[in-house]
Amino acid sequence: QLFSGMGMGENAASMAATLLAYLPKPFAVLAASSLMDTVGRRGLLLYNLPIMGACLALLSCTFTLMPANSIWRAVAAVLGTSFFSIAFSFSLGPIPNIISSELLPSDARSLGMSLSVGVQWLFSAMLVYVFPILTHKFGTQTMIAFFASMCVLAWFFTKAFVPETAGKSLEESSAMASD
């Protein structure tokens, strides 16, 4: 709607919104890789999970409180998606795979990472399948609010159970996991 109001067709407007929302992502990935060892993996999770949750809450409220044809709804949706994407690039995008590989002992690392990535892909595929069904049944705002609440739970899980592995050797990190 944001771009449709500027005279773009529906497909062009959709492509422009997607491009605008995800354009910052490559830069965020580069910045995240430089912060990974200074701020730490756990620190990046604890900082960015609330941002992700807030962006999802903004999106949920946008769908709930603003009229469908509002330009401000479109602006909030693009900004919420863009900032969510940036925060994801700093946290839940790369860090679970990095921490998993660091915490597994060397003799189990290849099998453990294969299982970890396989489970991630399985759940991603399941989500792609069930999200439209659940959105149709419960509404977009409810589903987005559900994922915002998952960010809150992930923050508490990280705070309680995820060790910091930055600056530690693989042997030190895997020893932490076995303690």
Side-chain angles (χ1 to χ4, degrees):
Q1 294 166 343
L2 174 67
F3 297 102
S4 297
M6 295 181 201
M8 291 183 164
E10 187 177 327
N11 287 339
S14 177
M15 187 64 90
T18 301
L19 181 64
L20 182 62
Y22 289 99
L23 190 61
K25 195 166 185 166
F27 303 107
V29 168
L30 291 173
S33 64
S34 68
L35 292 173
M36 202 70 62
D37 286 324
T38 55
V39 175
R41 291 105 169 99
R42 185 173 190 268
L44 285 171
L45 285 171
L46 291 173
Y47 181 77
N48 285 288
L49 281 165
I51 294 172
M52 290 171 57
C55 289
L56 291 172
L58 170 69
L59 285 171
S60 181
C61 289
T62 297
F63 280 104
T64 304
L65 303 174
M66 293 184 175
N69 57 358
S70 166
I71 189 77
W72 296 111
R73 179 177 174 169
V75 169
V78 168
L79 289 176
T81 303
S82 185
F83 284 110
F84 175 87
S85 176
I86 292 168
F88 183 84
S89 297
F90 276 92
S91 58
L92 290 182
I95 293 176
N97 289 322
I98 294 169
I99 288 181
S100 295
S101 68
E102 292 173 337
L103 293 178
L104 291 166
S106 59
D107 59 334
R109 193 167 292 133
S110 61
L111 176 62
M113 284 307 300
S114 296
L115 290 171
S116 173
V117 171
V119 168
Q120 285 178 38
W121 278 100
L122 174 68
F123 277 93
S124 292
M126 287 172 39
L127 180 63
V128 166
Y129 177 74
V130 301
F131 186 78
I133 297 166
L134 294 174
T135 299
H136 179 73
K137 182 173 178 126
F138 299 110
T140 303
Q141 63 275 19
T142 302
M143 292 308 301
I144 294 174
F146 169 76
F147 286 110
S149 67
M150 290 298 102
C151 289
V152 172
L153 291 177
W155 187 89
F156 283 109
F157 178 86
T158 300
K159 189 83 170 152
F161 299 111
V162 176
E164 181 56 72
T165 58
K168 296 184 173 43
S169 69
L170 290 175
E171 292 75 21
E172 291 172 316
S173 295
S174 60
M176 282 189 320
S178 62
D179 290 341

